[in-house]
């Protein structure tokens, strides 16, 4: 594989060679905001990639941001015209893969003031082995692909939180919260006695959603 770099234009790198999954081809990586003709906002960093290979065309964009009161990232990626199956080694049967595949992941955290925090996540994946094949380190050690909205107020030794969580991808087994409310007290002294009070309380509605291919009705 040969790599050419240029730090003065929108183009970051060009790689010519062979990819384990997609065969022989050319891959390019770009400064996203320069490519769009925009000035990068303070605290934002973005890159885009586009490649043409013998077994498909791949493209995507990644944006990371970090500001005083919020942070997060967006990852969008797709493959068009993939030719072949997903091969995970001799100990596992090859998996039939669709020709067109994609993912979109967004994770955001924000501090709202008055001791409130907000966390939002969204994840769409086209098929069950896409992350495992193209993002193996994320698949094996990263955070699960989830869609949720979580709010928390924490002050002194108590916490109040609300979780709203749903399942977007039908091939994942997930537990939905519709919503769930919690209240926690940690190490509260009881007057001038040697006793200390700990409390954890939850209320809400939960629904277990198993992988649709298992043929199990999670509502029962």
């Amino acid at each position: 594989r040969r790599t050419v770099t240029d730090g003065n234009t929108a183009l970051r790198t060009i790689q010519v060679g062979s990819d384990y999954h997609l065969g022989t081809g050319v891959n390019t990586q770009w400064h996203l905001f320069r490519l769009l003709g925009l000035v990068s906002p303070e605290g934002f960093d973005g890159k885009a990639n586009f490649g043409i290979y013998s077994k498909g065309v791949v493209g995507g964009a990644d944006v990371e941001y970090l500001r005083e009161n919020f942070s997060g990232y967006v990852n969008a990626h797709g493959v068009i015209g993939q030719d072949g199956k997903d091969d995970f080694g001799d100990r596992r049967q090859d998996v039939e893969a669709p020709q067109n595949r994609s993912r979109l992941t967004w994770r955001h955290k924000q501090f709202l003031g008055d001791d409130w925090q907000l966390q939002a996540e969204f994840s769409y994946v086209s098929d069950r082995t896409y992350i495992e094949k193209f993002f193996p380190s994320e698949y094996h050690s990263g955070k699960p692909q989830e869609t949720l909205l979580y709010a928390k107020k924490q002050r002194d030794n108590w916490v109040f939180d609300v979780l709203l969580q749903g399942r977007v991808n039908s091939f994942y087994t997930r537990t939905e919260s519709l919503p769930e409310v919690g209240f926690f007290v940690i190490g509260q002294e009881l007057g001038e006695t040697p006793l200390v009070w700990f409390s954890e309380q939850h209320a809400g509605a939960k629904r277990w959603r198993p992988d649709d291919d298992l043929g199990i009705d999670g509502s029962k």
Side-chain angles (χ1 to χ4, degrees), residues 97-186:
Q99 285 193 328
N100 301 325
R101 318 172 73 178
S102 60
R103 67 155 315 166
L104 174 61
T105 300
W106 172 58
R107 291 173 180 160
H108 177 84
K109 185 175 182 179
Q110 184 152 359
F111 296 93
L112 301 175
D114 195 29
D115 300 317
W116 279 99
Q117 298 180 35
L118 179 68
Q119 181 178 333
E121 297 187 20
F122 174 81
S123 173
Y124 163 79
V125 185
S126 61
D127 58 274
R128 70 171 66 249
T129 57
Y130 183 67
I131 299 292
E132 183 178 5
K133 179 172 181 176
F134 290 97
F135 304 88
S137 60
E138 180 181 358
Y139 175 81
H140 291 290
S141 59
K143 190 178 185 300
Q145 303 297 315
E146 298 180 301
T147 297
L148 59 85
L149 185 63
Y150 175 71
K152 178 177 73 171
K153 183 180 180 71
Q154 182 173 351
R155 181 176 295 173
D156 298 328
N157 65 335
W158 61 267
V159 176
F160 172 76
D161 65 4
V162 180
L163 173 64
L164 181 63
Q165 185 172 23
R167 188 187 68 164
V168 172
N169 306 292
S170 63
F171 45 82
Y172 288 144
T173 296
R174 294 287 185 265
T175 299
E176 296 180 325
S177 299
L178 306 169
E180 178 185 4
V181 178
F183 184 73
F184 309 81
V185 178
I186 302 174

Side-chain angles (χ1 to χ4, degrees), residues 1 7 28 32 38 68 90 103 137 142-143 150 166 177 179 189-190 196 207 212 218:
R1 172 177 293 189
T28 59
L32 178 61
L38 302 173
E68 181 179 357
D90 296 337
R103 67 155 315 166
S137 60
K143 190 178 185 300
Y150 175 71
S177 299
E189 296 181 355
L190 298 178
V196 179
R207 180 170 62 174
D212 281 3

Side-chain angles (χ1 to χ4, degrees), residues 1-21:
R1 172 177 293 189
R2 173 166 293 184
T3 301
V4 178
T5 63
D6 185 351
N8 298 318
T9 68
L11 180 65
R12 297 176 60 151
T13 62
I14 299 177
Q15 293 181 330
V16 180
S18 179
D19 180 88
Y20 176 76
H21 301 299

